[in-house]
Amino acid sequence: MGGNQALQANGFTNTVSTNNHITVRGSDWYFAVCAVMAFTTLIFMGLSFRKSRSQRLFHYITAAITLVASIAYFCMGSNLGWTAIQVEFERSNPKEAGNMRQIFYVRYIDWFITTPLLLTDLLLTCGLPTPTILYVILMNEIMIVTGLVGALVKSSYKWGFYTFGCVAFLFVAYSVVFEGRAYARILGPDILKTYTMCGVWTIFLWCLYPIAWGLSEGGNVIPSDSEAIFYGILDLLAKPGFGALLIWGHRNIEVERLGLHIRDPETTPSPFREKKSGNVASNGVINGHNSTGAGQDSSTV
């Protein structure tokens, strides 16, 4: 047997059954995105070895983003990590037909982990204060969780959660676009350029996610395969695309300029080793004096 057998191996009954779901084409697309995410993870990790250990922070965070995303897309390509929810709006088009739509909750688990990492990449670049970073990440998590809860609700109340998520996103967008740029400006024109490029890229793409949600999990306007393509393209641009821009922008920026001080045992001398070597040297001098004294005594005798 050849080809993609994921839908046969993992069917469309998973405590509940769905009649509005992805096809083999959707599964193939998810696997393709998984491959790109995994490949870029290797690229980001490989590029980190061109930097000293103390300068690899942004490589590590960015590689973690695409690594988690590759696992999520492997799960969706395998037709796992989903549940079926009754749609609010049934459609007559055969591609959206069916009253039980497949909802991939694993997508939101991915976003719950990766979007805070992405914001950490951004907000550390501009030197935003730690309390502000934590609050922005909290609002981001509210945005993701309300999106998930809304997707799992069959009634019109889903749009209430959608509204909460959009309001939280507006706070995140304001913090990135206005507050972040104000701090980045203080750190120098090269840092401001990198931050602005990555920040505008991210916020523009994130503005499209609520549209994708409204057309798929929310309004059942587009079929599940189109949902896969819409979210997949956005994720490819928002994760590997963002990572490439960020790593390129950081190529000549040392993390110390951002207020980050990371010790590297290969380049930073250890106070303990210095103290120990100093004791050995002083002991050697003392022993030398003792041996000289002993020699003088013996010659005198």
Side-chain angles (χ1 to χ4, degrees), residues 17-249:
S17 297
T18 177
N19 51 13
N20 185 343
H21 50 71
I22 62 170
T23 66
V24 174
R25 290 182 180 180
S27 176
D28 287 341
W29 169 251
Y30 280 135
F31 279 132
V33 176
C34 168
V36 175
M37 294 289 186
F39 178 73
T40 52
T41 300
L42 296 177
I43 295 296
F44 293 146
M45 289 301 296
L47 290 174
S48 72
F49 290 102
R50 301 179 62 183
K51 296 275 191 176
S52 63
R53 291 180 183 274
S54 62
Q55 303 297 319
R56 296 177 184 175
L57 174 64
F58 292 95
H59 292 77
Y60 289 159
I61 295 175
T62 307
I65 293 170
T66 51
L67 174 60
V68 172
S70 67
I71 298 171
Y73 272 90
F74 175 80
C75 187
M76 290 185 285
S78 302
N79 202 40
L80 299 170
W82 62 270
T83 189
I85 299 297
Q86 184 177 347
V87 299
E88 181 183 2
F89 307 104
E90 291 191 39
R91 307 297 178 181
S92 57
N93 189 320
K95 292 185 177 180
E96 297 96 35
N99 65 336
M100 298 295 289
R101 186 179 178 102
Q102 184 178 30
I103 303 295
F104 283 103
Y105 57 79
V106 71
R107 188 194 316 278
Y108 294 88
I109 297 175
D110 167 9
W111 292 343
F112 189 84
I113 298 172
T114 57
T115 53
L117 292 175
L118 195 149
L119 284 173
T120 300
D121 260 346
L122 262 181
L123 301 181
L124 287 180
T125 297
C126 70
L128 206 64
T130 301
T132 307
I133 293 177
L134 294 176
Y135 198 69
V136 173
I137 289 176
L138 171 64
M139 297 302 290
N140 172 80
E141 300 291 38
I142 291 174
M143 178 179 73
I144 302 302
V145 171
T146 52
L148 172 60
V149 174
L152 299 178
V153 171
K154 66 178 182 179
S155 70
S156 61
Y157 281 77
K158 68 167 65 251
W159 300 103
F161 292 103
Y162 177 82
T163 303
F164 279 119
C166 288
V167 171
F169 167 68
L170 290 177
F171 179 88
V172 173
Y174 174 83
S175 299
V176 170
V177 174
F178 294 100
E179 290 192 68
R181 291 188 72 250
Y183 279 88
R185 190 176 291 110
I186 300 172
L187 299 177
D190 55 338
I191 294 176
L192 175 62
K193 179 181 178 181
T194 297
Y195 177 79
T196 301
M197 176 177 60
C198 295
V200 170
W201 178 269
T202 297
I203 296 304
F204 169 73
L205 291 173
W206 282 19
C207 285
L208 301 179
Y209 280 91
I211 298 175
W213 191 97
L215 294 175
S216 52
E217 296 104 321
N220 191 38
V221 176
I222 60 176
S224 295
D225 284 352
S226 298
E227 171 190 332
I229 294 172
F230 200 162
Y231 278 133
I233 292 174
L234 289 179
D235 278 350
L236 287 173
L237 294 174
K239 292 171 182 175
F242 164 84
L245 287 176
L246 185 85
I247 297 302
W248 181 80

